[in-house]
Amino acid sequence: MTSGMPLPEEELDRLIDALNAGRTPPAPSTAEAADHEVLVRALKGLGESSTLDTAPVPAQVGRRTRRSRRRPLFWAAAAAVAAGVLLGVQALVPGLGDRNWVLAMEQAVAQLTSYHGVLEVQTTNAEGEAWLTRRLEIWSDGDRYAVRDQNGVLTVNNGTQRWQVRPEEREVAVLPLIPDPRSFDLHDEADRARGYPHEVEGRETVAGREAVRLRITPPGGQPYHLWLDAESGLPLRLQTAMQNALQTTYTFVTFEANAAVDPDLFELAVPDGFTLIEEDPGQLVTTPEEAEQIAGFAPPLPDEAPARILARDGRIVLDYGDTYIEVEPDDGDFEPEPYGALGRAAGGPLEVLGDELRWVQDGLLIRVAGGESVELARQLAPDLELPDRGDDLISAAQIPVRGLNREALEASQQQVDAGSSPWLLDPVYVAHVFVNLLVSPEGITGEGEIPFEALTLAASSGAQAVVEVSEGPAARVYLARLVRQDETGIWTVVGYDPREGQ
Amino acid sequence: MPNAEPSPAPNAAADAYRRHWGAIYRFIYGRVQNREEAEDLTQEVCARVLGRQGAAAPTPAYLRAAALNLIRDRWRRRRSAGVLTPLEEAWLVPDDDAEPGRRLLDRMWLAGLLERLPDDQRQVLELRVVQGLSRAETAARMGRSEASVRGLQYRGIQTLRAMVVAELGTTVVRKEAERT
């Protein structure tokens, strides 16, 4: 069993093997290794298979690939419609009304302590074409689970560690506990399905068994379908609603409730001839003090305690389930993304992009992502000010820009929508062009007289923005998203303040 | 000031996803060169961008920018120093950047550098990386041992890296000269 920093030749060899196998390579251990990784990726681009003319095909076709870890999209799709793949160990009494099916399932899940089954997961697009197909063997025992895919790769989470056994590469990789993108969990889904309106739509044959089809409608969500074995009440199939042009169908082709699961499955062991790789997993710790000892800094703590805390050198993650807080020392490089919105937190800029917030506080770069991000962020930074799309940032402009042509702006927006001139989505870039045109109205040659570094995004509500300029005829440039007011809208200069003395 | 446009239809995001996911996947694949990462990143980009209810249809340009930023963010976070090397930064410059000369890891240029390597170093990188052969297959083709292939591919990448870094340095100096 070996671990720790690999030799450079070995690290490169492993990198090449991973990319050739269609896998994510291990994180580079040095800057030189990072450069090697870029060059290998770039060289692979010279090969015949580097450009794909078609969308991804199911794993069974073409070069051997390993299925990616299930991603939040599938989790979100399943969770949003509360995929209730429940197990009914009690036989259902014939003739019961709709409500008793879910009640029986709820009771059955409460009794469920473990299970073992083979799950076929197929994702199709809106045209009905198979986009991804996987076959997974699943063992679940309390909070522990193990999944083996059709390529033999085994992923295990025993609650304190997560690892992956890769037979073809003859290696065992210890992975970070968070994020852990499982497709669905029976107990979690049972909690969500409780109380949702549902109706029996009919009977049909699924996986060779007679099944009852239920239509379940979560409040505020799209309806989805669940098929139960008509004899045992066991769930046979779940089909999510079509979301983001994808629909996923989960079918248990075999299922054994309360199966005896070999406890050795959840013990990390490296088979003979295999190499152990630690892909920077971090450790689960029980107290913030332990996290501080490992990470080398004290984490800021919200009022609400996390469900779990993970730490490694230079990084701490507070896990709240669907939201997490990630903290690392600030390297001084934090700059909010220009296509996001700007707020304020801890006396400095706050970047808001969807449900992710980032800011620097007490020398730490904090990132909060998930459904409760704002609430948790406020607990860390009480002075948090979210951007307000209604904020008026532009009426202060001393010199308004006149003659804005609505048709021309809409044409530009359409061009950007089609993929041209993406720089129109960056308010700093748009302001850069504007100030250089003030200097050279006949047209800009090269990069222009006023360098890009002279401009700074000073404020952004997401709909209006102010850019400060340190040289040239304009001291401040005011911009607005006139055609569309979200992250996909182009920016237009609507006014500026001349520099005093010019 | 023109009036704001009305809110977009709720299916705009789904329509955009249907139109763009293949292109986004191909774009990301072009950068990461492996299916597992490309699938992960494509799904995360689309979930981030399209996950908001009632969001307007994102543009391909926006999706590409979001993809590059996501890759950059992921690569930064897996490093203890939290910074990318100049080569990594150069690789993540958008194709349609307003400064055409900025993307230094251009494929044509890289292919040219490969030709300038010593024959054995060039051959091992062509077989192992460009063609994707295993170490054993490469060793058989070159009439060498697997250990020899391992050492040779390392020396080849080192030589290539030195050439690329030297060129990066020259370009930075040239651009600085143009500014003054």
Side-chain angles (χ1 to χ4, degrees):
Chain A
M1 185 184 304
T2 60
S3 68
M5 198 114 80
L7 296 172
E9 284 188 16
E10 189 185 310
E11 187 170 6
L12 174 65
D13 196 59
R14 198 180 290 165
L15 157 70
I16 296 172
D17 283 343
L19 289 177
N20 284 352
R23 273 197 300 109
T24 310
S29 61
T30 61
E32 179 189 88
D35 283 353
H36 292 171
E37 185 185 283
V38 169
L39 291 174
V40 171
R41 293 186 197 261
L43 287 176
K44 286 199 80 59
L46 300 177
E48 281 181 2
S49 61
S50 66
T51 51
L52 304 178
D53 293 326
T54 57
V57 296
Q60 293 86 346
V61 178
R63 175 184 287 186
R64 188 207 75 81
T65 59
R66 177 176 308 109
R67 289 270 56 90
S68 63
R69 300 195 290 277
R70 285 157 299 206
R71 293 303 307 153
L73 181 64
F74 293 152
W75 168 252
V81 298
V85 182
L86 305 175
L87 173 66
V89 292
Q90 298 171 339
L92 298 172
V93 175
L96 281 177
D98 295 350
R99 192 172 253 324
N100 289 326
W101 286 93
V102 174
L103 180 62
M105 280 192 287
E106 186 182 356
Q107 292 171 343
V109 168
Q111 295 172 35
L112 188 65
T113 57
S114 66
Y115 63 88
H116 172 222
V118 174
L119 188 72
E120 186 181 84
V121 184
Q122 181 160 87
T123 302
T124 52
N125 62 18
E127 281 74 44
E129 298 161 336
W131 190 59
L132 281 180
T133 300
R134 298 175 303 228
R135 203 170 174 90
L136 308 171
E137 185 174 6
I138 303 174
W139 297 263
S140 177
D141 186 3
D143 289 337
R144 306 180 297 179
Y145 76 87
V147 179
R148 191 193 331 263
D149 70 13
Q150 66 269 22
N151 298 314
V153 175
L154 179 70
T155 306
V156 183
N157 184 331
N158 68 5
T160 56
Q161 277 185 303
R162 190 164 75 101
W163 66 91
Q164 193 170 72
V165 181
R166 302 167 181 164
E168 186 154 328
E169 289 78 17
R170 301 179 70 75
E171 62 189 25
V172 176
V174 182
L175 307 172
L177 262 178
I178 292 172
D180 181 13
R182 291 188 68 185
S183 296
F184 63 88
D185 175 80
L186 293 192
H187 290 86
D188 288 348
E189 303 307 348
D191 287 344
R192 291 190 186 93
R194 193 184 306 123
Y196 288 177
H198 55 278
E199 58 184 297
V200 175
E201 284 192 328
R203 291 189 174 223
E204 45 194 79
T205 302
V206 173
R209 309 278 300 173
E210 191 183 359
V212 174
R213 187 174 76 246
L214 298 183
R215 177 188 162 98
I216 300 180
T217 308
Q222 295 187 57
Y224 64 96
H225 289 90
L226 188 62
W227 287 256
L228 303 182
D229 186 306
E231 185 178 319
S232 67
L234 289 171
L236 287 173
R237 172 176 287 168
L238 169 91
Q239 186 175 72
T240 68
M242 182 71 68
Q243 272 205 318
N244 292 332
L246 291 178
Q247 180 175 53
T248 300
T249 305
Y250 304 84
T251 306
F252 271 113
V253 296
T254 69
F255 194 98
E256 184 187 352
N258 292 318
V261 179
D262 184 357
D264 287 347
L265 189 61
F266 301 115
E267 296 296 321
L268 173 56
V270 182
D272 286 341
F274 278 54
T275 308
L276 179 70
I277 302 168
E278 304 236 4
E279 294 184 1
D280 226 351
Q283 289 174 255
L284 203 63
V285 298
T286 47
T287 66
E289 290 73 28
E290 281 179 53
E292 180 179 351
Q293 278 182 349
I294 292 168
F297 62 90
L301 297 173
D303 301 329
E304 192 181 330
R308 295 191 297 184
I309 307 175
L310 288 104
R312 69 156 166 81
D313 181 33
R315 183 167 173 255
I316 294 174
V317 177
L318 308 177
D319 177 24
Y320 290 84
D322 73 336
T323 305
Y324 63 89
I325 300 173
E326 189 179 62
V327 189
E328 47 191 58
D330 173 40
D331 57 9
D333 279 351
F334 172 63
E335 269 190 39
E337 296 289 356
Y339 52 84
L342 272 188
R344 300 283 298 173
L350 166 75
E351 172 198 275
V352 180
L353 214 55
D355 65 3
E356 280 191 28
L357 283 67
R358 280 198 317 157
W359 73 98
V360 171
Q361 182 170 335
D362 299 327
L364 299 173
L365 177 61
I366 301 175
R367 178 168 169 261
V368 188
E372 297 173 35
S373 55
V374 173
E375 292 72 25
L376 288 171
R378 277 198 206 285
Q379 292 176 30
L380 291 175
D383 68 338
L384 189 91
E385 289 174 27
L386 292 176
D388 181 355
R389 281 188 192 277
D391 270 353
D392 176 13
L393 301 176
I394 60 177
S395 60
Q398 294 174 21
I399 301 181
V401 168
R402 304 201 182 281
L404 290 173
N405 182 308
R406 178 77 184 186
E407 277 182 18
L409 292 179
E410 287 177 353
S412 293
Q413 178 71 63
Q414 284 174 15
Q415 277 196 318
V416 172
D417 288 349
S420 304
S421 310
W423 57 273
L424 288 169
L425 297 171
D426 181 344
V428 180
Y429 224 109
V430 172
H432 181 235
V433 171
F434 175 80
V435 297
N436 275 291
L437 281 174
L438 282 181
V439 172
S440 312
E442 69 285 356
I444 304 169
T445 52
E447 292 179 11
E449 257 189 53
I450 300 168
F452 192 79
E453 291 71 26
L455 289 87
T456 314
L457 183 67
S460 175
S461 69
Q464 298 180 357
V466 181
V467 172
E468 291 187 345
V469 191
S470 61
E471 58 184 90
R476 256 170 310 281
V477 178
Y478 299 82
L479 306 98
R481 283 178 152 135
L482 295 176
V483 180
R484 193 185 298 154
Q485 284 75 48
D486 64 21
E487 286 85 354
T488 69
I490 62 172
W491 290 96
T492 305
V493 175
V494 295
Y496 70 99
D497 294 343
R499 190 172 308 284
E500 286 183 7
Q502 294 208 3
Chain B
M1 197 68 58
N3 292 329
E5 284 202 335
S7 298
N11 288 328
D15 287 344
Y17 182 83
R18 214 177 359 251
R19 280 202 307 278
H20 300 312
W21 68 265
I24 285 299
Y25 176 87
R26 286 189 289 275
F27 174 77
I28 291 175
Y29 192 97
R31 287 296 196 279
V32 301
Q33 290 294 324
N34 73 92
R35 184 184 289 274
E36 182 177 65
E37 258 185 308
E39 285 174 358
D40 272 2
L41 287 162
T42 303
Q43 291 173 35
E44 183 154 351
V45 165
C46 293
R48 278 189 184 198
V49 172
L50 303 170
R52 303 185 304 279
Q53 291 245 331
T59 65
Y62 179 73
L63 287 169
R64 288 195 294 269
L68 286 177
N69 281 316
L70 181 61
I71 297 172
R72 194 178 289 115
D73 195 40
R74 278 204 184 177
W75 287 7
R76 206 182 290 143
R77 280 196 279 133
R78 64 183 186 168
R79 305 277 295 284
S80 55
V83 293
L84 301 187
T85 66
L87 259 178
E88 288 176 304
E89 291 285 4
W91 184 238
L92 296 177
V93 169
D95 291 326
D96 45 10
D97 193 274
E99 300 177 56
R102 265 187 78 193
R103 187 164 178 226
L104 298 173
L105 290 183
D106 177 75
R107 289 198 174 92
M108 295 285 291
W109 175 70
L110 201 64
L113 290 185
L114 195 61
E115 290 299 314
R116 285 161 48 187
L117 289 179
D119 281 348
D120 53 355
Q121 292 182 14
R122 175 187 49 76
Q123 187 184 14
V124 77
L125 292 181
E126 279 180 351
L127 294 174
R128 276 288 273 145
V129 180
V130 179
Q131 293 188 35
L133 300 187
S134 69
R135 196 167 59 255
E137 288 167 329
T138 304
R141 293 257 190 122
M142 294 182 72
R144 288 174 175 260
S145 69
E146 288 193 41
S148 168
V149 164
R150 214 171 75 155
L152 193 58
Q153 69 194 13
Y154 180 73
R155 288 194 296 281
I157 277 290
Q158 285 281 71
T159 309
L160 192 63
R161 177 174 179 255
M163 290 158 69
V164 169
V165 167
E167 180 70 18
L168 265 180
T170 307
T171 304
V172 167
V173 168
R174 193 186 314 133
K175 281 194 157 322
E176 289 296 331
E178 284 170 0
R179 277 193 228 278
T180 58

